[in-house]
Amino acid sequence: MAKTLYPKVNSSEITDESIWLSRRAFIKTTLSTALISTSGSLLSKELNALKSPVLRLPKHGSLTKYKDITRYNNYYEFTSDKKLVHHYAKELKTEPWTITINGEVEKPLTFDIDKLLGMMSIEERIYSLRCVEGWSMVIPWNGFPLAQLLKMAKPTSKAKYVKFTSLLDPEVMIGQRRPILNWPYTEGLRIDEAMHPLTFLASGIYGKDILPQNGAPIRLVVPWKYGYKSLKAITHITLLEKQPKTTWVDANPDNYGFYSNVNPKVSTPMWNQRKEVKIGEVRKKRTQLYNGYGEQVAHLYKDMDLTKFY
Amino acid sequence: MQFNLVHLFKLVTRDYFKYVKYLFIFLSLVPFLILSWQFYTEQLGINPLAYLTKVTGHLVIIFLILTLLITPLKRISSYLMTKYQLKYGKRLADWNWIIKLRRIFGLYSFYYACLHLAVYVWFDQGLEWEYIYEDILERPFIMVGVISFLILLIMAITSFKVLIKKLKKKWRKIHMSIYPLSILCLIHYWWLSKTIESELILYSILTFLLLLYRILVWTHIVRIRKDDTGMEVSTRHKVPLNHKVIF
């Protein structure tokens, strides 16, 4: 089965707005059928409970240009120079690729990526991606909610956290030859965050297969957290009882926390998060709590001190 | 007349120093011209704000390193010329024109620091003074940047020739603050870096070597050269015979 539901477009071509809009109409219909087909089985409770907030996602204005999304990347596995990432990332081979779900699950699973994407109904989500460095993009992702995949592996009652591991391959990922971070890149979520319908696994952008610089073949997207939480090129998803160590917290605990929720009121020695510049614009604008997704996610952190658990 | 390279060099460096000076003034302005051209043609890249901040910041450190390089360069070159008694060596040893570049580079460092500050205050913070005040208190590296700028400002103000003559020894003391300044600028850069960048390592090594040179001169090599005061204005001293040249 095809990797995505959409016709392949030459990657050098910038998507025309009208083409993209027509695809959207198609996606909407597939999305609604997907909701109906799954509501009886896997996710009925969660989806019904949160169906309306999901459909009322905050508006972030116009989409970021495809060219900017694919030419301005933070991907320290290759280089810390955002403009060079897309050159180096060309070398990454994403086929064959397997993704493994293990740890505190009843049914550990390993999928070939093409087979997995064939099984899932691919939908579109327009999310704002807020980088910890103070810039943001609005990206139309294609993929499926992480919860759908986790449910297949049946997490046990001990599963309290989810750890994600990215590819370790210093041959190709030349940034990994230097110990600037603890490779491989790992990230983590609490189980309720991971099961939240907004938490997404993306395999496409603007209806095209995702490019290596954006996290091919599959990446995480958690829109209410800073971008570094949404790790790229996932190989392992491990369910754990204890909170996992994550790469950036390990490297610099004063500036990075486990939760990393977008919060304009929490500043660290390195970052002042009050404002952000949207790529394509010149002036900075105010940053919103939970990146604007407070309506959907604020209940997850009801009794928590956000300045302590940043 | 036969073409004589050394003769030409002598002419250009000594008798026509002003042209050398203008050349360096223009060369130092080239990064600014490139930035302006990129600004007006909208070629500042995908994140113009980050690009402007980064490039202007780097230029400040690069010009500080160039400024620090001048004194050792002048001393070492004139030492080598005298020691090996090269043809025209005596003339070339009189490389006092090099020292005059020090002020040009220093002032350009200040100039790019002004641009760096303007980008932060205007583009990054949108002239919201309350937030800027909070930001200085919240993030230590911003504080270090502000302190560095004030030091640079004092040095720029006291760099007029009239003041150099007037302040004499005090001037030297004031301008010795380039040593802590260069360290502060590096701290500012280290503190804001997510990971260790290669430029950061390069600047740190260069600054370290240039400061080490000063430490060695002060501690291990006794200063005998009375003719070299390190001042720019009084350059016409007679070198005593049988003096021990030390750089």
Side-chain angles (χ1 to χ4, degrees), chain A residues 243-261:
Chain A
Q243 185 177 307
K245 256 193 178 181
T246 60
T247 300
W248 280 107
V249 177
D250 206 24
N252 192 342
D254 291 342
N255 284 299
Y256 304 92
F258 177 78
Y259 287 94
S260 313
N261 292 321

Side-chain angles (χ1 to χ4, degrees), chain B residues 117-157:
Chain B
L117 184 72
V119 169
Y120 168 74
V121 171
W122 191 10
F123 294 140
D124 196 308
Q125 297 292 312
L127 298 173
E128 291 184 51
W129 301 104
E130 274 176 43
Y131 283 142
I132 294 171
Y133 177 72
E134 273 181 34
D135 201 19
I136 292 170
L137 296 180
E138 270 174 5
R139 294 195 287 175
F141 81 87
I142 302 272
M143 175 72 96
V144 172
V146 171
I147 294 168
S148 307
F149 181 78
L150 291 177
I151 294 174
L152 210 41
L153 180 69
I154 292 167
M155 293 195 1
I157 291 170

